[in-house]
Amino acid sequence: MTSQEENFMRKIEADEKIEPKDWMPEAYRKNLIRQMSQHAHSEVIGMQPEGNWITRAPSLRRKAVLLSKVQDEAGHGLYLYSATETLGISRAELIAALQSGEAKYASIFNYPTLTWGDVGAIGWLVDGAAIVNQVSLQRTSYGPYSRGMIRICKEESFHQRQGYEALLALAKGSPEQKQMAQDSLNRFYWPALMMFGPHDSESAHSAKSMEWKIKRETNDDLRQKFIDQTVPQIEVLGLEHPDKEIKWNEERGHYDAGEIDWDEFYSVINGNGHCNRQRVEHHIAAHDEGTWVRDAITAYNEKKNAKKAQNVA
């Protein structure tokens, strides 16, 4: 290894943060761009299925809480895009990759929100799965990503509680409301497990990400944590577990679970989910409609900087 490579690995092994101006292998930079941009895209695209219910929330309180949550997701996307830009790639390039289909986002957001119960399920299950993954990312090796995750995790914790509280109200309500909660759980449980990605043995990036401490825990370990914490939560709701093979394994100290439908997982991430085209088309339309805002901000900043330079001169 060169002296630069040796110093880089010394920092990784010593749990020191890699900062934007530090030397890093090109493969490390590209791996980070892929993971961080995918994370940012997921936050932004994830606004769509929940935003669909802001005007149809069942009460003013629910509307205010959901509106706040969707705004938080937009903020998370901005944090992550900004952090990714420190790696030498522009926001325009990141968005172009999303809109062309070159970059991916979490497959869960290609499922439709059919009922109000789905909003609760997303908050509880989807944000719950995100927290399991993101807590470990607070210790990721890249400084800007690590620091961004600390704030994001605090807000995601609120999102999970909001979703669970909404689903709990349904589960303890009328028979029709309880059935709505059960239906949402049934439809979102398995896609939430898919959020952790393929098995470690089939993941193209996990091994290197673990070596560089970009990821601190494997896909399968994170998924097991989520399964273990979800079982008692379902029991409190008084709902039936969607996985009929779920069973406590005393020897392992974990729950054994049924197998995910991996054909469905790969079909969705390859563009064949219920809402893949709708999500990207909506993003493109919103981006195009906002062109004048970006142009106005650019013109204002140029005028401000020119005036500042003139005053200095």
Side-chain angles (χ1 to χ4, degrees):
M1 287 193 296
T2 66
S3 59
Q4 287 178 318
E5 291 172 329
E6 289 177 353
N7 187 52
F8 172 80
M9 288 309 301
R10 179 196 62 76
K11 288 183 177 181
I12 294 293
E13 290 164 6
D15 280 334
E16 295 179 18
K17 299 300 180 192
I18 305 299
E19 298 297 343
K21 293 184 179 180
D22 293 342
W23 182 90
M24 64 187 73
E26 182 62 15
Y28 176 84
R29 188 183 76 86
K30 288 183 176 179
N31 198 324
L32 277 170
I33 289 174
R34 177 196 58 79
Q35 180 171 326
M36 293 168 66
S37 65
Q38 179 175 308
H39 193 166
H41 299 328
S42 299
E43 297 283 358
V44 173
I45 295 294
M47 297 166 63
Q48 291 187 40
E50 293 179 298
N52 184 42
W53 280 89
I54 289 174
T55 59
R56 295 182 288 165
S59 70
L60 182 60
R61 173 179 174 272
R62 298 286 184 196
K63 185 189 297 287
V65 171
L66 181 58
L67 183 60
S68 177
K69 181 180 188 296
V70 173
Q71 288 175 322
D72 283 350
E73 307 295 0
H76 296 173
L78 292 176
Y79 300 155
L80 291 163
Y81 281 134
S82 295
T84 310
E85 285 179 301
T86 65
L87 292 161
I89 188 168
S90 70
R91 186 87 50 102
E93 290 175 287
L94 296 172
I95 292 174
L98 167 65
Q99 295 181 350
S100 70
E102 178 186 347
K104 304 296 185 183
Y105 56 87
S107 60
I108 188 78
F109 298 121
N110 290 313
Y111 291 83
T113 44
L114 305 178
T115 69
W116 173 252
D118 293 355
V119 175
I122 287 178
W124 165 41
L125 295 173
V126 176
D127 291 307
I131 291 170
V132 169
N133 183 42
Q134 292 170 11
V135 164
S136 68
L137 288 176
Q138 292 177 114
R139 298 182 291 113
T140 191
S141 60
Y142 188 56
Y145 196 19
S146 171
R147 291 186 288 273
M149 293 315 307
I150 292 171
R151 176 164 183 174
I152 289 173
C153 282
K154 292 178 181 178
E155 294 176 350
E156 292 289 7
S157 179
F158 157 76
H159 298 168
Q160 182 190 31
R161 295 176 188 180
Q162 166 266 330
Y164 191 75
E165 191 267 343
L167 216 58
L168 183 63
L170 290 174
K172 302 303 180 184
S174 68
E176 292 80 8
Q177 289 173 319
K178 184 174 183 179
Q179 182 53 45
M180 179 187 289
Q182 183 69 61
D183 176 62
S184 296
L185 171 59
N186 292 345
R187 284 186 290 106
F188 276 90
Y189 177 77
W190 291 104
L193 292 187
M194 296 176 193
M195 288 178 64
F196 296 101
H199 286 308
D200 300 328
S201 58
E202 300 172 11
S203 176
H205 305 286
S206 282
K208 207 63 182 175
S209 292
M210 291 291 291
E211 179 186 341
W212 284 328
K213 297 185 179 179
I214 294 173
K215 291 182 65 173
R216 304 303 296 251
E217 296 182 72
T218 68
N219 294 352
D220 288 331
D221 286 345
L222 292 168
R223 187 166 19 244
Q224 184 67 65
K225 281 187 177 182
F226 179 72
I227 290 170
D228 290 346
Q229 76 176 28
T230 304
V231 172
Q233 293 171 346
I234 293 175
E235 291 174 353
V236 171
L237 291 173
L239 301 177
E240 294 183 14
H241 201 294
D243 184 355
K244 304 310 176 187
E245 297 180 39
I246 201 80
K247 184 178 180 181
W248 178 253
N249 186 319
E250 192 67 42
E251 184 177 341
R252 291 200 313 122
H254 296 287
Y255 283 95
D256 291 335
E259 189 64 18
I260 291 169
D261 184 346
W262 292 110
D263 288 339
E264 177 182 336
F265 169 74
Y266 286 111
S267 178
V268 173
I269 65 172
N270 287 326
N272 299 313
H274 296 285
C275 301
N276 288 67
R277 294 172 183 82
Q278 176 186 331
R279 299 294 186 235
V280 175
E281 287 172 1
H282 182 86
H283 187 279
I284 292 172
H287 186 72
D288 289 345
E289 289 173 6
T291 300
W292 71 272
V293 178
R294 296 190 297 276
D295 289 345
I297 292 172
T298 300
Y300 172 78
N301 286 333
E302 289 176 351
K303 184 177 180 180
K304 185 178 178 181
N305 291 335
K307 187 175 181 180
K308 184 178 180 181
Q310 186 178 25
N311 291 338
V312 170

